[in-house]
Amino acid sequence: MAMTTRRWAWAAVFLAATGVVCAAPSDAIQEDYLEIFKKLMSGDRDEEFLDIEALLKCSPNATSEEFGICLPLAHCANTGGVPAGTCARGFGVCCIAQRTCGESTSYTHTNFVNPGYYDSDTGSGACTLTVNHANKNICQIRLDFLELELAQPDTDGNCNIDFLAVTGGASTVPTICGSNSGQHMYIDVDPTCGALKVTVDRSPAPLASRWWNIKVTQIPCDSEARAPTGCLQYYTETSGYVKSFNFDSYNSFNYSENSQIAQQNYGVCIKAGEGYCGIMWERMTVFGFTVSGNLPVISPSLVGTAAASSTGATCTTDYVIIPGGVDNNQNSEDRFCGLGFPDSVTSTMKPFVMYVHTDADESSEVANRGFGMQYRQITDCC
């Protein structure tokens, strides 16, 4: 009871400070408001202060994908934050917790950026962010790659020049490289265990296109935003797009290089909408599915089409699995590979999921780009 009463007391202070209750915060209210900030910054964030941090959460503007905490300008600077617009009716600034190499965070929302963000990174070696749990009720971390531009994989599909790796979690995370802006990952974490580490390892060779801005969000164990176990990626809309990491969506190919990354093994999950009984998968573009085989040896007119696709037991190296899949010709198949994809594949098996697998060697499968798929949940499953 005391904890609940205190929580509401803090909430009242915040509402008054923002001007929702009073036109302007009094000196006493400002002092109490600063006590909230001190508690949040101390690292001693027990469950009592979960709601308080949620109240303080802000966004620089209506279209921003970044989140911050409403703090006085001086406190934002003292914690290494970046002010991005005002909040609390001008009483505070929306402070983005921005971190770079060798730094750590215990905020629920943090942006991990390359040194000298807004400029290409010219450094080398491992650049690591340590993510400490914000409290004892954190079971998952979501990484949103607002920007992630690293060196491409080598001709075998391996990330040997630059790569991003995640360690310390309770789930396996594949190593990725190349162009992955707009992609995301969910990582399960044990609330009782140590920190998660997000590392961008850079080769000594300078690259004009190497930079990153990764939004790191800590997800409570009881949150509706938590992804199901086993899902590296999780989509909650009834329709959308799914791409393999480093997918090249251009309708032309460099026939000497792969952009598909080797050694990938993960699940892509789609939240079933209420009243939806199935899901339909289609390729995004004509060139939206090239995962196995030798691209230069087939006619360009066949690339991406059902005629260039393979299914079932013939898919042994690189492939996707759609459990319960049925193609547009009513053939029941759940494993798909090759240099094309059926016109559509539908499944009524729940949960809706697609599994992705690539082996360790792409050298014999030239110029593959991976996949760009669009999905749509359906209500007519007869």
Side-chain angles (χ1 to χ4, degrees):
M1 182 68 180
M3 180 179 292
T4 302
T5 302
R6 189 179 179 190
R7 196 178 280 161
W8 281 109
W10 283 118
V13 170
F14 175 78
L15 293 173
T18 59
V20 174
V21 177
C22 304
S26 67
D27 290 342
I29 287 175
Q30 289 191 34
E31 289 178 5
D32 285 342
Y33 195 37
L34 293 177
E35 286 301 315
I36 298 176
F37 301 143
K38 291 176 183 177
K39 181 72 174 181
L40 286 169
M41 292 184 291
S42 69
D44 181 21
R45 302 177 199 181
D46 53 25
E47 190 173 352
E48 177 180 356
F49 284 86
L50 278 173
D51 295 343
I52 304 305
E53 187 167 1
L55 282 171
L56 296 176
K57 190 172 75 172
C58 58
S59 183
N61 56 64
T63 60
S64 176
E65 295 186 73
E66 297 180 307
F67 290 97
I69 296 176
C70 192
L71 296 174
L73 178 61
H75 284 69
C76 182
N78 290 341
T79 60
V82 177
T86 61
C87 55
R89 296 193 175 184
F91 177 68
V93 294
C94 193
C95 187
I96 306 299
Q98 187 167 290
R99 300 289 187 267
T100 189
C101 306
E103 297 183 338
S104 63
T105 181
S106 55
Y107 284 116
T108 56
H109 295 82
T110 305
N111 284 67
F112 176 37
V113 300
N114 61 275
Y117 181 58
Y118 302 119
D119 295 319
S120 292
D121 178 39
T122 58
S124 62
C127 178
T128 299
L129 173 71
T130 300
V131 183
N132 299 304
H133 296 182
N135 52 69
K136 297 178 181 179
N137 188 38
I138 299 299
C139 281
Q140 209 165 62
I141 306 292
R142 172 170 168 143
L143 304 180
D144 282 282
F145 304 129
L146 305 182
E147 296 177 275
L148 181 59
E149 302 295 329
L150 304 175
Q152 288 291 312
D154 63 20
T155 55
D156 291 337
N158 293 304
C159 297
N160 288 330
I161 304 173
D162 296 342
F163 61 83
L164 178 138
V166 181
T167 55
S171 54
T172 301
V173 181
T175 298
I176 63 171
C177 56
S179 180
N180 290 287
S181 298
Q183 295 274 30
H184 72 272
M185 291 179 174
Y186 285 84
I187 301 98
D188 292 328
V189 295
D190 187 332
T192 65
C193 288
L196 187 81
K197 292 186 181 294
V198 182
T199 298
V200 177
D201 197 295
R202 306 153 294 170
S203 75
L207 294 174
S209 60
R210 178 193 286 147
W211 68 86
W212 65 89
N213 181 2
I214 303 171
K215 183 172 72 174
V216 182
T217 304
Q218 303 197 32
I219 301 175
C221 302
D222 52 357
S223 172
E224 292 185 0
R226 185 178 174 185
T229 300
C231 303
L232 182 72
Q233 295 192 306
Y234 184 46
Y235 296 85
T236 59
E237 301 297 327
T238 57
S239 63
Y241 298 93
V242 175
K243 300 187 297 183
S244 56
F245 292 109
N246 197 41
F247 174 69
D248 182 348
S249 62
Y250 293 108
N251 291 341
S252 61
F253 293 94
N254 181 332
Y255 284 91
S256 65
E257 296 181 358
N258 286 332
S259 62
Q260 179 165 271
I261 303 175
Q263 304 185 73
Q264 304 286 288
N265 194 24
Y266 61 91
V268 178
C269 302
I270 313 294
K271 182 180 180 179
E274 185 175 355
Y276 291 88
C277 56
I279 188 168
M280 178 182 292
W281 294 90
E282 300 171 299
R283 61 185 183 273
M284 282 173 52
T285 67
V286 172
F287 297 89
F289 195 93
T290 57
V291 302
S292 66
N294 195 342
L295 187 65
V297 303
I298 73 164
S299 169
S301 64
L302 296 178
V303 175
T305 69
S309 68
S310 298
T311 59
T314 60
C315 299
T316 59
T317 56
D318 306 328
Y319 50 83
V320 302
I321 296 176
I322 301 174
V326 178
D327 70 16
N328 53 290
N329 293 317
Q330 301 306 304
N331 297 310
S332 296
E333 296 289 355
D334 65 358
R335 187 173 294 206
F336 303 89
C337 63
L339 299 171
F341 191 77
D343 292 341
S344 67
V345 173
T346 302
S347 173
T348 58
M349 186 176 293
K350 293 183 179 180
F352 300 147
V353 62
M354 177 173 66
Y355 297 104
V356 181
H357 174 82
T358 62
D359 65 6
D361 184 10
E362 299 292 308
S363 60
S364 61
E365 299 180 320
V366 179
N368 291 331
R369 289 311 194 236
F371 63 82
M373 306 287 285
Q374 58 187 11
Y375 71 86
R376 185 176 74 253
Q377 296 187 38
I378 58 177
T379 57
D380 183 6
C381 298
C382 297

